[in-house]
Amino acid sequence: MAPDPFQDKFAQWSALVGGLAHELKNPLSTMNLNLQLLREDWAEERGPLGHRSIRKIDVMLQESERLEQMLSDFLRLTSPAPLDLKSVDPSNLIEDVFGFMNSELLKNNINVEMQLDRNLDPILADENLLRQALLNLVKNAIDAIGDNHGSISVFTREVEDAIHIEIIDTGCGMSDETLEQIFTYYFSTKSTGTGLGLPMVQRLAVQHGGEIRCESSLGRGTKFTLVLPRNGSNSE
Ligand SMILES: Nc1ncnc2c1ncn2[C@@H]1O[C@H](COP(=O)(O)OP(=O)(O)OP(=O)(O)O)[C@@H](O)[C@H]1O
Ligand SMILES: [Mg+2]
């Protein structure tokens, strides 16, 4: 078969941009490390100048961490490593993820209801990727609820040879126009969002031979269903 010139160009482009993203990570982590050291130095200065400087350093630290996260997400999407499939207990992992987000959930007065099917067999999955995907879904739910004291419900169930993980929030919901674009790279309605969270979740689902579904109603809330085959079959 003749080589596809578009595929060829796309591969070259990905390699180039992926390489650049990779190169950016080193100077960025050096900057980050030095900012942390600078922060320690200024922490000894008790006067107003010390306070003002620490505040500015914190802003720079926050932004450099955001850039690091963005580059890591980007690299994960453009050059995904092969899946590291292990036996994973979905209930344990979900509890872990919510435990990790506990302070944020408490801070936002979010009520969490879990109905996890304890009889679920372990599934074959890449635990780190799955944890990251669940974190993305929970963070989105927290963002969607904002200050409105809502709730997040999590259900797991077995449907044929797959498990379904449902994450339902009572947040702001989405318009049909937004809903159509949520899996597009870099689509975000948030001022500080990168728009890589849901494409990452979708990529994980597809890599595991599953899918991610979303239903949403503006002003009422959103339900994401992550469908994962129990045997983690890799469709790529
Ligand atoms: N639970 C939700 N409720 C309402 N809108 C949502 C929800 N989850 C996602 N969205 C919409 O989908 C968009 C894309 O989500 P995605 O997670 O990909 O990016 P993000 O959250 O904006 O940024 P980040 O890359 O930091 O995750 C969001 O900006 C938001 O508009
Ligand atoms: Mg997100």
Side-chain angles (χ1 to χ4, degrees), residues 154-196:
V154 198
F155 297 92
T156 55
R157 62 179 114 252
E158 195 160 352
V159 181
E160 290 160 8
D161 283 337
I163 65 150
H164 287 200
I165 303 174
E166 294 175 356
I167 298 187
I168 304 165
D169 68 67
T170 59
C172 59
M174 290 176 243
S175 65
D176 289 346
E177 204 195 343
T178 297
L179 193 55
E180 273 173 27
Q181 303 177 76
I182 56 173
F183 297 114
T184 305
Y185 287 21
Y186 297 110
F187 171 78
S188 175
T189 56
K190 303 173 192 172
S191 57
T192 57
T194 60
L196 289 176

Side-chain angles (χ1 to χ4, degrees), residues 136 139-140 143 190 197-198:
N136 282 335
K139 279 187 189 159
N140 281 347
D143 288 345
K190 303 173 192 172
L198 287 177

